[in-house]
Amino acid sequence: MTRRSLSGLALLFAAALLVLAALPLAARDLRFVGGEEARPNPPTVAIAEALFGPGPMPVLMREEGPVPGWSVERGGQLVGHIASTWELSRSTGYSGQPLDVLVAIDPQARIIGARLMQHSEPILTLGISDSDIARYVGGFSDVDLAAGSAAEADLPDVISRATVSTGVIRDSILRTARTLAMGRGLLAGGGIDRVGYESADWPELLASGAIRRGEVTLSQAREQMPDAVPPIPEGDAPFVELFAALADPPTIGRNILGQQEYTIAAGALAPGEALLFVGSRGLQSHRGLEWRKSGVFERLTLVQEGERFHFAESGYTRLDRLAAPQAPDLKERSLFVIGAGEGGAAFDPTLPFTLELTATRPTGDGEQGLTFRLPYELPEGFILAPPAEAEPLWVRAWERKWFAVATVAAMMGTLTLILLAQEWLVRRARLYMGVRIAFLSLTLVWLGWLLNGQLSVVQVVAFAHALLTDFRWETFLIEPVIFTLWSGVALGLLFWGRGVFCGWLCPFGALQELSNLLARRFGLRQIALPAPLHERLWIIKYTLFVAILALSFYSMKDALVLAEAEPFKTAISMRMIRAWPFVLFVLILVGAGLFIERFYCRYLCPLGAGLAIPAKLKIFDWLRRRPQCGRECRLCETRCPVGAIDPLGRINPNECVLCLRCQVIMLDDNTCPVLIRRRRSRTPQKPPAAAPAPPGVAG
């Protein structure tokens, strides 16, 4: 290698590093709204005015409970509700980081506006401004949630080049708005029936499971408290016969309590509260007398999913009679309001729970007790099924892009046949070259520029974060082409290593190889780096991959800026329509690739470095070598497009892109020196021709 070549290479490296260092400045408009703490962003008065339009100054009031949010009033009148997608839906974006949008609905269960508060999306910060995203989020207005799938026509279209991220925003807004509307009683479903009523007597309610009954006999109580003073008598009579029912549904509560009593009790409930009827007869009282001093009914406890709920005197109503026909003659009849649990959790009437009754008796040296547990589950007939949700965006995306997915699958199927029949193909050098050029051209033009099917290290980082946080398949299914491509690449990594993608399905890799092929056709001289320097330069891409991945756990923003070392977005996804520093960076890399084939793949690609790590687990190794390789012949080493063959003739699987060029060479008896020598040794030598006799000399 000449000094002039080394000087030119040094200039290329210096230019690439200078442009790479300038990229953060070019990306200075890539602002992140809010911090990265996983906390909901509360609305301000200014935000409420923007969402609900002009009018008197809005008043925001925080509401806790199973569906937390904010109510908005103007002039003492309720005008709507606001909720956070992060707080209600735990919405995470494609980056695996919290994505928070404030969603506003009116009392008619319509979305009237939304405001993006926080995101860390990789695609949103690359070529798409905040105003584009604000315009997209602001497009969620006048969407009737009760219309179900019919409301999809009112939804804004996802943004091109940000399909995944805007799709995640869309689904989180709709899911949060529906939850908020159902939690505020504006949308039927997802709760209990508080409207429907059918007349029923006590036996019918008991038979349907609306009222649950349990009993502890005197003998059972005596067995649990044998030393009680006075002793509990033997017998099958009830020590306590307990009845319980959720009284919120009118068919239950109104039949048990009567119209007037039920209306008063249900009308006094605050959001998140529920009514529980408890009745009993027998020796044991479910109320006792301690509550008159403590204000808490210590004998009764409701347990739901580990949360314990206690009943206070302030939420207690004594019932003097039962309105249900054929109701038993109970000793005690009580109506309790179920509030928040010990840990602050809200009671969910749609979930099963257990009512615990504790009984104690004094003994000679202390006391003994028993705990009776009565399980309860509201019958399905009183639980409203939520209305049909809008069709998931990823389903519509797959239906819309079925042809693109089919072509990508066909490309991967064709590549599979190429690799399975590689020995047959590489013995036909001209056919191999034609197939190779055609496939790379299809990868660049169709897969890359037209379908935007360029994989990126950003997707690897997003997948890693999703695995460690809240993994959801639908987040990745929103982009069918990328999902299909990654699925094939994952199988390819398992079977053959990273070369399946890097050597055949990477559009930027195809751009480099095809441009270098044209450069060599025009006689451009290639630069061959010394093997020691070539191997040491590999450190750059592996370090870059580790740095991007590690930095993403500290700051996704900084990791995305560092990921601009990938030219894929500029050269493929955005087709060079970008700020000049990014375009210049691509031109420098492609220019370097004219002199050093696949320059970027060799030394700078963090995605290739990341794929090389799991590729060590590959099953097949069908690349053949001979004992003479590296000793008697080094032709494959000099022809390898990425320098994956060392001076000893060994193929480095971490660097090999599976182009099969070395297989073509070693099986071509007109190219491989080993085969040429073998052919010559097998060809019989002709005897030398006799010298002609001098003139005038007879034979």
Side-chain angles (χ1 to χ4, degrees):
M1 188 172 182
T2 63
R3 181 180 299 176
R4 184 174 181 180
S5 298
L6 283 173
S7 300
L9 180 63
L11 287 175
L12 285 174
F13 264 113
L17 291 175
L18 283 174
V19 175
L20 186 58
L23 292 183
L25 298 178
R28 62 185 179 274
D29 61 327
L30 309 182
R31 296 181 290 108
F32 281 66
V33 182
E36 294 187 348
E37 295 183 2
R39 293 182 297 178
N41 294 269
T44 62
V45 172
I47 291 176
E49 286 182 333
L51 292 174
F52 287 91
M57 180 176 293
V59 177
L60 293 166
M61 292 176 291
R62 175 68 177 176
E63 294 185 8
E64 301 295 343
V67 184
W70 295 265
S71 62
V72 183
E73 292 185 357
R74 273 179 166 166
Q77 297 294 322
L78 180 69
V79 297
H81 305 272
I82 299 177
S84 159
T85 61
W86 169 249
E87 187 173 32
L88 289 192
S89 305
R90 280 298 183 262
S91 52
T92 54
Y94 186 67
S95 63
Q97 299 296 317
L99 190 154
D100 196 9
V101 177
L102 290 178
V103 185
I105 63 173
D106 64 11
Q108 287 73 44
R110 294 180 304 172
I111 300 177
I112 61 171
R115 173 69 67 90
L116 180 66
M117 302 298 292
Q118 177 180 340
H119 74 82
S120 302
E121 293 302 272
I123 300 179
L124 297 182
T125 58
L126 300 172
I128 299 175
S129 66
D130 284 338
S131 61
D132 295 328
I133 304 306
R135 193 180 309 112
Y136 172 75
V137 174
F140 286 85
S141 61
D142 200 26
V143 178
D144 188 0
L145 296 171
S149 59
E152 293 185 11
D154 300 327
L155 300 177
D157 295 329
V158 296
I159 299 177
S160 177
R161 303 193 312 274
T163 306
V164 175
S165 296
T166 50
V168 170
I169 291 176
R170 170 194 180 274
D171 287 350
S172 64
I173 289 176
L174 292 179
R175 187 166 60 250
T176 299
R178 285 169 53 84
T179 303
L180 180 61
M182 289 188 290
R184 299 296 179 264
L186 307 178
L187 193 64
I192 60 177
D193 184 2
R194 302 177 185 272
V195 178
Y197 170 75
E198 292 182 6
S199 179
D201 57 24
W202 185 273
E204 290 173 337
L205 293 174
L206 196 61
S208 68
I211 300 176
R212 298 296 172 95
R213 172 191 174 278
E215 180 183 13
V216 177
T217 66
L218 291 173
S219 297
Q220 291 172 334
R222 181 183 178 89
E223 182 179 349
Q224 294 290 323
M225 297 180 287
D227 301 324
V229 178
I232 301 173
E234 291 275 3
D236 294 331
F239 174 74
V240 61
E241 184 180 10
L242 191 66
F243 298 87
L246 273 179
D248 292 74
T251 300
I252 303 176
R254 182 175 161 186
N255 280 309
I256 295 176
L257 308 177
Q259 173 68 50
Q260 183 177 1
E261 194 75 40
Y262 173 75
T263 302
I264 295 173
L269 288 178
E273 294 181 340
L275 292 173
L276 179 69
F277 164 76
V278 179
S280 66
R281 60 185 176 184
L283 191 63
Q284 175 69 19
S285 167
H286 71 260
R287 290 196 298 247
L289 298 174
E290 300 87 351
W291 63 273
R292 297 183 183 275
K293 298 179 180 179
S294 65
V296 177
F297 291 83
E298 298 175 352
R299 295 188 178 188
L300 285 176
T301 304
L302 188 150
V303 182
Q304 185 179 66
E305 295 190 333
E307 187 78 10
R308 303 181 69 83
F309 299 81
H310 300 285
F311 303 106
E313 180 183 1
S314 58
Y316 160 68
T317 300
R318 174 179 171 175
L319 302 176
D320 295 326
R321 67 177 185 86
L322 299 179
Q326 303 183 49
D329 183 18
L330 300 180
K331 180 180 178 181
E332 294 178 330
R333 297 162 295 275
S334 306
L335 187 66
F336 297 104
V337 173
I338 307 173
E342 288 180 348
F347 174 73
D348 188 344
T350 65
L351 297 179
F353 64 86
T354 300
L355 184 64
E356 294 184 352
L357 173 62
T358 302
T360 59
R361 289 291 186 273
T363 63
D365 55 354
E367 66 178 20
Q368 291 179 333
L370 67 82
T371 300
F372 171 61
R373 294 176 175 86
L374 178 65
Y376 187 93
E377 183 174 1
L378 192 66
E380 292 184 0
F382 298 102
I383 300 176
L384 297 175
E389 295 188 11
E391 186 179 51
L393 182 62
W394 68 267
V395 175
R396 292 180 12 192
W398 282 78
E399 292 174 349
R400 188 174 62 252
K401 294 187 177 182
W402 68 268
F403 181 74
V405 171
T407 57
V408 174
M411 289 182 64
M412 293 191 295
T414 302
L415 177 57
T416 301
L417 294 177
I418 291 174
L419 297 177
L420 291 176
Q422 66 180 46
E423 292 191 0
W424 177 88
L425 180 62
V426 297
R427 292 181 184 275
R428 295 157 177 82
R430 293 178 63 87
L431 177 61
Y432 157 80
M433 198 61 186
V435 170
R436 177 75 177 165
I437 293 176
F439 199 99
L440 291 180
S441 300
L442 187 65
T443 296
L444 174 61
V445 178
W446 176 250
L447 182 60
W449 285 334
L450 296 180
L451 296 186
N452 200 17
Q454 173 68 66
L455 303 187
S456 167
V457 71
V458 174
Q459 296 156 1
V460 177
V461 171
F463 188 77
H465 279 266
L467 289 177
L468 296 175
T469 54
D470 184 17
F471 182 84
R472 295 177 180 173
W473 278 113
E474 55 267 27
T475 301
F476 300 94
L477 286 168
I478 290 177
E479 184 48 72
V481 171
I482 297 298
F483 185 87
T484 303
L485 194 56
W486 268 116
S487 299
V489 169
L491 285 176
L493 286 174
L494 179 63
F495 294 152
W496 295 289
R498 57 167 280 201
V500 171
F501 170 73
C502 297
W504 296 87
L505 295 172
C506 177
F508 190 76
L511 174 63
Q512 290 184 98
E513 187 165 329
L514 293 174
S515 60
N516 181 267
L517 178 62
L518 288 175
R520 286 188 280 115
R521 288 286 174 89
F522 283 101
L524 199 63
R525 185 175 179 182
Q526 300 296 292
I527 298 176
L529 295 182
L533 175 61
H534 168 69
E535 292 185 0
R536 282 160 177 77
L537 290 177
W538 291 343
I539 297 175
I540 299 176
K541 62 183 178 184
Y542 290 99
T543 303
L544 193 56
F545 170 72
V546 173
I548 293 172
L549 182 61
L551 188 59
S552 69
F553 291 98
Y554 170 74
S555 169
M556 182 63 73
K557 173 185 176 181
D558 296 335
L560 294 176
V561 173
L562 184 58
E564 288 294 345
E566 283 188 330
F568 306 155
K569 294 170 284 294
T570 303
I572 305 300
S573 302
M574 304 182 68
R575 305 176 187 87
M576 304 293 280
I577 305 175
R578 208 175 180 194
W580 69 265
F582 299 98
V583 176
L584 179 59
F585 182 55
V586 172
L587 294 178
I588 290 175
L589 294 179
V590 175
L594 299 179
F595 299 92
I596 300 177
E597 189 173 3
R598 285 184 175 257
F599 171 82
Y600 178 79
C601 301
R602 291 183 184 217
Y603 308 123
L604 298 177
C605 181
L607 177 60
L611 294 179
I613 298 173
K616 293 180 178 295
L617 302 175
K618 68 176 183 175
I619 298 174
F620 304 125
D621 188 5
W622 293 344
L623 299 182
R624 299 170 55 186
R625 308 301 292 152
R626 292 195 182 93
Q628 295 89 343
C629 294
R631 294 186 301 171
E632 301 178 16
C633 173
R634 297 178 61 182
L635 184 59
C636 293
E637 176 192 349
T638 60
R639 299 281 184 88
C640 179
V642 290
I645 303 177
D646 65 17
L648 298 179
R650 298 170 300 190
I651 299 176
N652 187 338
N654 294 340
E655 304 300 319
C656 177
V657 295
L658 212 60
C659 67
L660 305 180
R661 192 179 298 179
C662 61
Q663 304 301 289
V664 174
I665 294 173
M666 69 176 295
L667 294 177
D668 187 351
D669 55 8
N670 292 317
T671 304
C672 179
V674 176
L675 295 183
I676 292 174
R677 286 196 297 270
R678 288 181 181 177
R679 186 184 61 199
R680 287 177 178 175
S681 65
R682 290 195 301 265
T683 303
Q685 298 292 327
K686 295 182 180 180
V697 179

